Amino acid sequence: MGELNGAEYIGINEVPSPRANNAKKVSLLPLIFLIFYEVSGGPFGVEDTVHAAGPLFALLGFLIFPLIWSVPEALITAEMGTMFPENGGYVVWVSSALGPYWGFQQGWMKWLSGVIDNALYPVMFLDYLKSAIPALGGGLPRILAVLALTLVLTYMNYRGLTIVGWVAVSLGILSILPFVVMGLISIPKLKPARWLVADVHNIDWNLYLNTLFWNLNYWDSISTLAGEVHNPKKTLPKALFYAVILVVLSYFFPLLIGTGAVPLERDSWTDGYFSDIAKILGGVWLRCWVQGAAAVSNMGMFVAEMSSDSFQLLGMAERGMLPEFFAKRSPHGTPLIGILFSASGVILLSWLSFQEIVAAENFLYCFGMILEFIAFVWLRIKYPNAPRPFKIPGGTIGAVLLCIPPAILIGVVLAFSSIKVMVVSLVAVAIGLVLQPCLKFIEKKRWLKFSISSHLPDITSHGPLLH
């Protein structure tokens, strides 16, 4: 590594995360459900896999895809998140490995993909309610409802992350419980032969892959809250482990029920079809329960995603990548300006369709993940002996091999993107490439104040984990 001028390694986990107050940090159980809502929120939204590829490929997808994508991403998040347990997460990882310019690009692409993703949830929430309240189907009532819902959920984030964490636990139980009941009711009606139905000549690969990818990514989002986690070097890996199991089960078993207990009609398998299956199996009461659970699930996903997005902006400000006012905290310890910016983005993007939102966020997310994989491998090569409270075994070769399957998958997802989504996403990437130099110019001219928190270890002068 060359001459270090007497510098000594210091584990970043030993450096206290800066906090403006003594608000309680997030413990294991709330963290598991926060991750659950960052990634999943329940089986709502998986129906399109059956529509695109049939029961067999849908079931196999939710068994195989986690091994190719979810497990590697969760493992990398556990290692890197415990190395850098501060708000900013993957932005700090990439900055440490590739420099602040690329760290900013990582933050821009991940924040934008998160805000695009969050724009989906108020819309889906209202879609599940419009059968009971037809006025919410469109027009001014729908616009006002989106605004009101966004404001209410934004206020929950403002009041404090610990509240958000325990709300996530409650909402998670409410989201899963009706499918447990549905599973018990469906046992006499299950026909295993239905699970094996497949038509390899009639598969919409674009819809299939995008739906799988959307439902099983964002494991790294929890890293932007690492500074708010109690004892992150132990809590974060455990929470990711249990969350992977919870997410896979929450997808696979409802699909087993739906495809095995009801005759197959592929065209019917679109968003909201689980509520129809509930009516077929249990009646109107079960359908209402599933619709309520779906609405609650969308609320939980919104809350968890906004927490991640806003704390990411706070972490970037603490690293001097954004103006200092982004680091301002509310009396509840939450990132006030980050929440306001994220909420504004959600409102502006809520007019997009479900398919456009999923495709656009997947495209931007893929670019961000490529930078994460490069940073992960590069830090292994450059600083193999740096303290890692959680370390994936296998050395540098193992790190490279771990990244190959998800990297190939990224290439496949990008290849299936439409021209429209590709152009819009590349324009968004180009904005980030220009925005960082503009912010540096503003800093140089002292038009806005930028500062690096004195509590954070230096990741630029002598490399990561050096003091």
Side-chain angles (χ1 to χ4, degrees), residues 2 19 24 29 32 53 66 70 99 124 126 132 141-142 144 231 304 352 359 395 426 448:
R19 290 177 64 87
K24 286 183 63 179
L29 185 60
I32 291 171
S70 300
M124 291 180 66
L126 296 177
R142 184 179 181 86
L144 295 176
N231 193 11
L352 293 172
L426 289 176
L448 290 173

Side-chain angles (χ1 to χ4, degrees), residues 75-405:
L75 287 172
I76 291 171
T77 300
E79 176 171 320
M80 302 299 288
T82 54
M83 284 180 70
F84 303 94
E86 58 181 273
N87 300 324
Y90 37 69
V91 176
V92 181
W93 314 346
V94 175
S95 297
S96 178
L98 306 177
Y101 179 81
W102 290 108
F104 180 89
Q105 303 310 318
Q106 171 76 354
W108 166 252
M109 287 185 286
K110 283 303 191 75
W111 178 79
L112 192 57
S113 68
V115 171
I116 293 172
D117 178 58
N118 229 9
L120 176 67
Y121 302 127
V123 174
M124 291 180 66
F125 179 86
L126 296 177
D127 284 343
Y128 278 99
L129 294 182
K130 67 183 181 183
S131 59
I133 310 174
L136 297 177
L140 182 60
R142 184 179 181 86
I143 294 173
L144 295 176
V146 168
L147 290 173
L149 187 59
T150 301
L151 290 174
V152 170
L153 297 177
T154 299
Y155 180 72
M156 291 176 62
N157 281 273
Y158 167 78
R159 285 302 303 269
L161 184 62
T162 302
I163 295 176
V164 171
W166 285 106
V167 167
V169 175
S170 303
L171 298 184
I173 293 172
L174 289 174
S175 299
I176 294 171
L177 195 56
F179 291 95
V180 175
V181 175
M182 190 188 301
L184 295 174
I185 294 174
S186 71
I187 291 175
K189 302 178 182 180
L190 290 175
K191 295 184 179 180
R194 292 171 175 164
W195 297 329
L196 305 178
V197 175
D199 183 0
V200 295
H201 301 294
N202 185 24
I203 296 178
D204 184 343
W205 289 106
N206 185 26
L207 179 61
Y208 177 68
L209 290 174
N210 267 308
T211 304
L212 281 173
F213 193 72
W214 178 66
N215 279 287
L216 288 165
N217 62 17
Y218 281 89
W219 297 96
D220 59 339
S221 293
I222 200 65
S223 68
T224 64
L225 309 173
E228 312 302 310
V229 175
H230 173 71
N231 193 11
K233 67 181 181 180
K234 293 183 179 180
T235 305
L236 186 59
K238 286 182 180 179
L240 283 162
F241 173 77
Y242 292 121
V244 168
I245 296 173
L246 180 61
V247 167
V248 173
L249 292 180
S250 73
Y251 287 147
F252 187 74
F253 282 102
L255 277 175
L256 277 180
I257 296 166
T259 56
V262 176
L264 177 64
E265 295 180 9
R266 275 180 61 171
D267 291 340
S268 298
W269 279 86
T270 57
D271 293 320
Y273 187 56
F274 272 122
S275 63
D276 295 331
I277 294 174
K279 182 180 179 182
I280 294 170
L281 295 177
V284 175
W285 67 272
L286 187 56
R287 178 179 185 173
C288 292
W289 193 2
V290 169
Q291 287 177 328
V296 164
S297 173
N298 286 305
M299 291 173 59
M301 288 186 283
F302 182 101
V303 165
E305 181 65 56
M306 180 170 283
S307 296
S308 175
D309 295 342
S310 57
F311 272 100
Q312 178 195 318
L313 295 181
L314 180 145
M316 292 176 70
E318 289 178 342
R319 282 291 176 188
M321 295 180 183
L322 292 175
E324 192 180 65
F325 62 78
F326 276 97
K328 179 179 176 60
R329 289 179 183 256
S330 72
H332 306 285
T334 51
L336 177 61
I337 305 300
I339 288 173
L340 293 176
F341 263 74
S342 298
S344 299
V346 169
I347 292 172
L348 290 173
L349 293 166
S350 60
W351 57 271
L352 293 172
S353 71
F354 177 87
Q355 291 80 8
E356 289 173 328
I357 289 174
V358 170
E361 70 163 290
N362 282 350
F363 198 97
L364 290 170
Y365 189 83
C366 284
F367 275 105
M369 287 308 304
I370 291 171
L371 288 177
E372 281 186 32
F373 293 154
I374 294 172
F376 168 64
V377 173
W378 181 242
L379 288 174
R380 278 291 191 97
I381 295 172
K382 194 173 182 180
Y383 304 109
N385 298 318
R388 291 170 168 85
F390 175 87
K391 186 174 183 179
I392 304 167
T396 302
I397 295 177
V400 173
L401 293 176
L402 182 70
C403 294
I404 290 176

Side-chain angles (χ1 to χ4, degrees), residues 382-441:
K382 194 173 182 180
Y383 304 109
N385 298 318
R388 291 170 168 85
F390 175 87
K391 186 174 183 179
I392 304 167
T396 302
I397 295 177
V400 173
L401 293 176
L402 182 70
C403 294
I404 290 176
I408 293 173
L409 182 62
I410 285 175
V412 174
V413 171
L414 292 177
F416 276 100
S417 297
S418 68
I419 298 298
K420 178 182 177 181
V421 168
M422 190 177 301
V423 170
V424 172
S425 300
L426 289 176
V427 168
V429 171
I431 291 173
L433 296 175
V434 175
L435 183 59
Q436 198 270 353
C438 291
L439 287 173
K440 299 305 290 185
F441 179 79

